[in-house]
Amino acid sequence: MQFFVDTADVSEIEALADTGMLDGVTTNPSLIMKAGRPMLEVIAEIAKLVDGPVSAEVTATEKDAMIAEGRKLAAIAPNIAVKLPLTWDGLKACRALTGDGHMVNVTLCFSAAQALLAAKAGATFISPFVGRLDDLGLDGMKLIEDIRAIYDNDDDLQTEILAASIRTVNHVQAAAIAGADVATIPPGILLKLIEHPLTNKGLETFLADWKTTGQSIL
Ligand code: E4P
């Protein structure tokens, strides 16, 4: 499973790129607001930092305007994935932009039926929002499982499942088990993936025992 980071904060992306674990980036209008910087400038910087797909979301709601915005965003760099909402206009724009040869990430997916439509519209990625479903007391991970089963039933559906709205380390593990192709992960959660108290405790003991031997490897 590939790891994307879900942020528009360039310094967070720089720090994570250094781990060698970063396969791409997703942004959305709320993350751009949080970054407090001009969108086109931020997206251009991020696209230089990461080789993989960088999702940049349109804000128009009508098909032709979405296509125009999508083409402008895609012109920033070859690794831009245009992010479109899961509406009929969004799906029509998806078909047009993928027809141009651009990557498209269809976002705000909350049902398997929506994911089926996005795949039929030729989306490169579908973004099911796990955490926002869990927030309502629903089972976000079941949606990933259902989409995986639907896509696996039909060789014509080549869309990648991008598990989004990830809130916990457990979400990342469960998305990988459920067959998500990608998870887009908040920076804090990505850094937490490595943590386990037994790793720290075990290392402490190994190093203490090693010290008593008086040896050195170099
Ligand atoms: C996905 O691409 C979205 O940017 C993101 O994962 C939404 O997460 P949230 O529900 O935590 O806002």
Side-chain angles (χ1 to χ4, degrees), residues 6 26-28 31 83 107 127 129 132 164-165 167 184:
D6 200 25
T26 52
T27 67
N28 62 39
L31 292 171
K83 210 169 174 190
T107 190
S127 289
F129 277 37
R132 292 193 196 186
S165 188
R167 303 273 165 78
T184 188

Side-chain angles (χ1 to χ4, degrees), residues 128 166 169 210:
I166 293 286
V169 165
W210 175 248

Side-chain angles (χ1 to χ4, degrees), residues 135-156:
D135 289 346
L136 297 180
L138 299 168
D139 186 350
M141 213 46 71
K142 173 76 168 50
L143 176 57
I144 305 281
E145 289 167 17
D146 290 348
I147 299 171
R148 180 75 280 154
I150 289 169
Y151 286 3
D152 286 351
N153 279 343
D154 186 343
D155 290 343
D156 288 339

Side-chain angles (χ1 to χ4, degrees), residues 6-18:
D6 200 25
T7 181
D9 183 323
V10 173
S11 58
E12 285 181 330
I13 295 166
E14 274 169 345
L16 287 166
D18 195 46

